[in-house]
Amino acid sequence: MSTLELYTPTDLNDALRFLEHDGGNSAVIASGTDLLPRMRRRQISPSILVDISAFTEDLRFIRRSDGTIRLGALTTVTDLLESPMFYGRLSMVREAARLFGAPQVRNVATVGGNVCSAASSEDLIPVLMALDAKLKLASARGERTVPLKDFIIGKRQTTMKPSEILVEVSFNEPEGNSWTAYEKLGRRNMLILAMVNEALILSLEDDLQTIHSARLALNRVSGKIPALAVETSDFLEGKRVTDQTIVQAQKVMESELSLTSDFRGSGEYRTEVAQVYLRRLVERCARHIGGSS
Ligand SMILES: Cc1cc2nc3c(=O)[nH]c(=O)nc-3n(C[C@H](O)[C@H](O)[C@H](O)COP(=O)(O)OP(=O)(O)OC[C@H]3O[C@@H](n4cnc5c(N)ncnc54)[C@H](O)[C@@H]3O)c2cc1C
């Protein structure tokens, strides 16, 4: 029978030194809401868990400075929900947090764990991708920053090395005529693992009718990998917000997506929902920017 050890580092540097030598056999554990069920299902079997959950002083924060928002990796979903930062232009962060799991899960589930799980049903990944978030990864050798859009390279696969710990997620605050919105569909109203989830940041020109820029992100854009819907986003840019634009964008989206079927829903159904959500997201953002709601 294989054994499982728990390493409780004294601080972040101790954890990084430990991973530098033993990273290959270890898994970092934050709150374990993703990791432990996977271990129970024998999808992964690390021999050592490196517990970083005590480093809240260093890794649990929500900070804003010079137009940048920084989230510590141990920030919980409840922290996002309770922060005054995520009203107004950044309300999609709050929407995603509100639709996340149930209170017991939200109270412990971390931003870092969500991103590093790199799963195709996570709520925060498309939201952070639409915001063009950057990840700060630390190791005993130093730090590096990678864009989230380049971090996830396959189903539950990232570019993170076994010796690294995600310490911070940051993104620029949207400015001017911008708004953000999020939509999620699951099979019930609570504890919903997303069948489709979709996040948009939209900016309009000063005429409040022409789209200046759009960044749309979904889980499963291609197979089971969360990603930006680049073609659909590009199509929207420079177009006026009209019914015709949205119908055309939905067609672009249909050809861009390759949503797969599983026990939660068929690929065809997912594609239809994603198209409906595209309309809702564009209209919701445009309405807010225009100040009509
Ligand atoms: C009942 C239930 C409901 C759920 N509902 C939702 C939901 O609605 N939406 C949703 O998105 N998810 C949901 N989840 C999944 C899970 O709660 C989230 O993915 C959560 O954000 C994971 O955070 P965690 O702190 O528990 O991560 P952990 O389980 O501790 O870690 C997850 C993965 O990330 C790695 N990791 C964690 N932190 C770091 C770090 N700082 N640096 C490097 N690697 C790290 C771990 O090694 C592991 O591979 C649910 C889970 C359960 C059990």
Side-chain angles (χ1 to χ4, degrees):
M1 194 208 276
S2 58
T3 56
L4 177 65
E5 288 176 39
L6 180 69
Y7 183 67
T8 313
T10 50
D11 57 21
L12 185 60
N13 285 331
D14 183 20
L16 294 174
R17 276 194 303 271
F18 183 87
L19 290 173
E20 186 69 18
H21 299 292
D22 225 342
N25 304 315
S26 314
V28 168
I29 180 163
S31 293
T33 60
D34 175 72
L35 184 69
L36 295 178
R38 293 187 69 214
M39 287 174 62
R40 229 172 278 133
R41 292 194 294 266
R42 299 190 191 283
Q43 289 165 335
I44 46 168
S45 39
S47 48
I48 308 170
L49 295 182
V50 180
D51 182 3
I52 62 164
S53 62
F55 307 147
T56 49
E57 212 166 291
D58 291 331
L59 298 181
R60 186 174 177 185
F61 58 81
I62 302 177
R63 294 183 189 137
R64 172 203 271 151
S65 66
D66 297 331
T68 302
I69 306 240
R70 292 159 54 217
L71 310 176
L74 290 182
T75 302
T76 66
V77 176
T78 297
D79 293 338
L80 300 178
L81 202 50
E82 291 179 348
S83 167
M85 215 88 87
F86 304 119
Y87 286 85
R89 289 194 188 99
L90 275 172
S91 51
M92 80 169 157
V93 176
R94 204 183 134 66
E95 288 169 31
R98 189 176 54 79
L99 294 169
F100 194 112
Q104 296 90 330
V105 182
R106 292 198 285 269
N107 286 345
V108 292
T110 64
V111 171
N114 204 262
V115 169
C116 293
S117 68
S120 58
S121 54
E122 304 302 56
D123 279 300
L124 301 181
I125 294 174
V127 167
L128 293 168
M129 256 184 200
L131 288 166
D132 200 14
K134 311 276 184 296
L135 310 180
K136 194 194 276 183
L137 301 167
S139 76
R141 291 157 193 256
E143 287 180 348
R144 66 184 177 116
T145 301
V146 291
L148 173 58
K149 71 178 173 51
D150 301 331
F151 180 68
I152 300 175
I153 51 172
K155 188 186 168 196
R156 292 209 175 258
Q157 283 182 301
T158 71
T159 60
M160 190 164 59
K161 298 181 189 126
S163 57
E164 290 179 319
I165 292 179
L166 170 65
V167 291
E168 185 183 296
V169 180
S170 63
F171 51 86
N172 291 337
E173 227 174 329
E175 290 181 329
N177 300 328
S178 309
W179 204 265
T180 62
Y182 180 71
E183 293 280 347
K184 168 179 178 176
L185 177 76
R187 282 165 61 106
R188 50 184 181 252
N189 295 327
M190 256 265 205
L191 281 169
I192 321 163
L193 277 181
M195 191 188 313
V196 177
N197 57 350
E198 199 165 323
L200 176 70
I201 173 165
L202 189 85
S203 296
L204 297 184
E205 303 285 0
D206 286 342
D207 65 5
L208 301 185
Q209 294 183 20
T210 311
I211 297 173
H212 173 72
S213 64
R215 266 175 84 90
L216 180 74
L218 298 93
N219 276 320
R220 298 164 175 262
V221 167
S222 156
K224 295 194 170 177
I225 309 170
L228 289 169
V230 177
E231 290 167 28
T232 312
S233 305
D234 286 353
F235 174 83
L236 285 169
E237 290 187 11
K239 307 279 186 320
R240 286 169 71 84
V241 182
T242 60
D243 184 59
Q244 196 193 5
T245 297
I246 292 173
V247 170
Q248 287 171 345
Q250 286 172 324
K251 289 201 177 107
V252 176
M253 179 185 230
E254 188 176 9
S255 64
E256 179 171 23
L257 298 184
S258 57
L259 299 179
T260 47
S261 305
D262 65 11
F263 67 96
R264 289 199 188 101
S266 68
E268 292 76 18
Y269 179 61
R270 283 190 157 106
T271 305
E272 267 194 59
V273 173
Q275 289 171 300
V276 171
Y277 281 175
L278 175 63
R279 171 178 290 280
R280 281 193 202 167
L281 291 171
V282 171
E283 289 179 346
R284 281 176 56 200
C285 286
R287 227 174 21 240
H288 275 286
I289 299 167
S292 60
S293 62

